[in-house]
Amino acid sequence: MTTEPAPTTAPAPRFSGGGEISFAERPVPRPGPGQLLLAVGANAICGTDRKQYLEGSEVTPGHEAAGVVAAAGEGASIAEGTAGVVYLMDYCGSCRSCRGGFTNQCLAKRADMGFTHDGGYGPYELVHETNFFPIASAIPLWQAPLLLDVMGTSGHAIGRALLVRPEIESVLITGAGPVGLGLLAAARLTFSEGTRILVTDVTPYRLALVERLGGIPIDASKQRIAEALRRNDLDEVDACFDSTGRGAVRQEALDCLGRRGVLVCVGHGEQLVLDVSMDLIAPERAVLGSEYFRFDELPANLELLHAQRDYLGQIITHRFPVSQIDQAFRVFFSGESGKVIVEQ
Ligand SMILES: [Zn+2]
Ligand SMILES: [Zn+2]
């Protein structure tokens, strides 16, 4: 595959705050040693984009990008024309965390793509080849971002739970945004057939998606979680995954956890108050955090995406060209969507 030579400047979305997105000409960088210039194909909208959407951003946002190598810098081993996805953290590769494979806990990362450096809503993105993951061309670029926050973050969170609770037979997921839906899909594909997976949300659109993906939807605006569990003949669950980041929701989830249960907090946000004796020691429960995922989890997720493309593909509900990025954000933040993709 050959790509056009990149221009020296190109128009990119500019987030000026208050939900305003305009287009401004930005320089297109040249890749230095070990770097790749990507022609972006698609970038998925994430709940985390809300801050830049509302408060503005110096850089072009977008941290769930898929693209094709337009130019490779000196010494780079990945060839022009290679398709792949961008791992958010430009990890150093040599600190203690990275040496152990914990690239999501890098102690000296060079960038958070889309936050400290230009990300994937623009037509070009400059990355190090170490945080670019090549994919097979059978996965279209608009679907490839599923490998990132949806499959990566949720698969990692399930792995965290399995560290302390190897047999999980019932699951509660709070929040059915893209990460919550990813958790549901990952739970379905990881745990045995009979595992019951309850998922809370307040929007009918997302609750319908939960049902389509094989989860048991709970309308949290109409009932307490404990009550919904009882209606499903459950007194408690083995594992909870919170993607809402809301303190009250986490507290409610913790109360639904059985003995040896594990609560994994995936969504950033508010606090959780623990009565250490009653909540943790006596029932031997665990509360864990889970942040993004390790770079070395990508190959297994790519294999899974190949095998389950139709199932996982349902999580993407909307695609917009970048010229309609405004509308894409409005749809996403209305709650009437799953994952929304912005395409170049
Ligand atoms: Zn994200
Ligand atoms: Zn590192």
Side-chain angles (χ1 to χ4, degrees):
M1 189 172 166
T2 51
T3 43
E4 294 284 303
T8 51
T9 67
R14 206 178 91 81
F15 287 50
S16 42
E20 287 277 322
I21 306 175
S22 53
F23 281 80
E25 207 66 15
R26 271 186 89 79
V28 176
R30 302 290 132 187
Q35 289 185 319
L36 305 171
L37 179 70
L38 307 179
V40 175
N43 191 97
I45 301 182
C46 176
T48 314
D49 293 340
R50 185 187 293 272
K51 192 171 186 307
Q52 289 162 304
Y53 183 60
L54 295 178
E55 295 174 17
S57 170
E58 288 293 313
V59 302
T60 305
H63 61 271
E64 295 189 48
V68 173
V69 177
E74 198 192 311
S77 60
I78 298 177
E80 281 177 29
T82 306
V85 291
V86 178
Y87 181 83
L88 189 159
M89 298 162 181
D90 186 2
Y91 59 92
C92 77
S94 54
C95 72
R96 188 176 172 201
S97 287
C98 286
R99 285 199 313 272
F102 303 96
T103 52
N104 57 334
Q105 295 297 336
C106 175
L107 303 167
K109 59 185 170 180
R110 294 175 286 213
D112 278 328
M113 301 310 301
F115 295 102
T116 62
H117 291 62
D118 283 346
Y121 291 123
Y124 292 97
E125 183 172 354
L126 184 68
V127 298
H128 278 101
E129 70 170 347
T130 44
N131 67 319
F132 177 74
F133 177 71
I135 57 167
S137 54
I139 307 283
L141 288 179
W142 64 269
Q143 244 175 7
L146 284 174
L147 291 167
L148 301 169
D149 289 25
V150 171
M151 295 179 71
T153 301
S154 56
H156 185 72
I158 289 198
R160 298 276 293 151
L162 288 169
L163 288 175
V164 289
R165 181 67 186 242
E167 26 68 69
I168 291 174
E169 291 169 2
S170 52
V171 175
L172 170 70
I173 295 163
T174 47
V179 170
L181 294 171
L183 284 161
L184 164 58
R188 282 260 296 162
L189 297 172
T190 305
F191 302 129
S192 62
E193 192 94 354
T195 305
R196 267 175 299 172
I197 306 165
L198 292 87
V199 187
T200 70
D201 206 273
V202 293
T203 63
Y205 186 99
R206 286 184 168 165
L207 290 167
L209 257 178
V210 166
E211 194 151 23
R212 216 178 309 150
L213 289 163
I216 302 168
I218 299 173
D219 186 341
S221 70
K222 298 210 175 94
Q223 57 189 324
R224 307 284 300 172
I225 299 173
E227 188 189 321
L229 290 186
R230 277 194 298 277
R231 282 193 188 167
N232 285 281
D233 301 317
L234 286 169
D235 293 324
E236 53 201 22
V237 291
D238 297 340
C240 292
F241 298 88
D242 175 60
S243 71
T244 69
R246 309 268 300 263
V249 176
R250 283 180 185 159
Q251 216 71 49
E252 220 183 320
L254 183 72
D255 290 341
C256 295
L257 216 50
R259 288 180 176 270
R260 300 191 301 114
V262 55
L263 166 63
V264 184
C265 298
V266 193
H268 282 277
E270 298 165 0
Q271 63 173 0
L272 171 70
V273 181
L274 290 170
D275 176 340
V276 175
S277 288
M278 296 300 289
D279 290 334
L280 297 183
I281 298 177
E284 288 195 331
R285 299 193 293 202
V287 178
L288 300 179
S290 185
E291 173 79 332
Y292 204 52
F293 56 95
R294 295 163 51 130
F295 189 82
D296 66 7
E297 290 174 83
L298 280 163
N301 282 333
L302 179 59
E303 224 168 274
L304 191 60
L305 181 56
H306 268 291
Q308 300 285 345
R309 248 180 73 193
D310 289 346
Y311 174 65
L312 290 162
Q314 297 178 85
I315 295 173
I316 295 174
T317 55
H318 296 75
R319 296 165 65 186
F320 290 95
V322 69
S323 58
Q324 291 172 29
I325 188 170
D326 249 331
Q327 203 195 335
F329 269 79
R330 277 198 300 273
V331 166
F332 182 76
F333 287 122
S334 75
E336 301 280 294
S337 77
K339 205 68 175 158
V340 175
I341 305 288
V342 175
E343 294 179 80
Q344 296 293 325

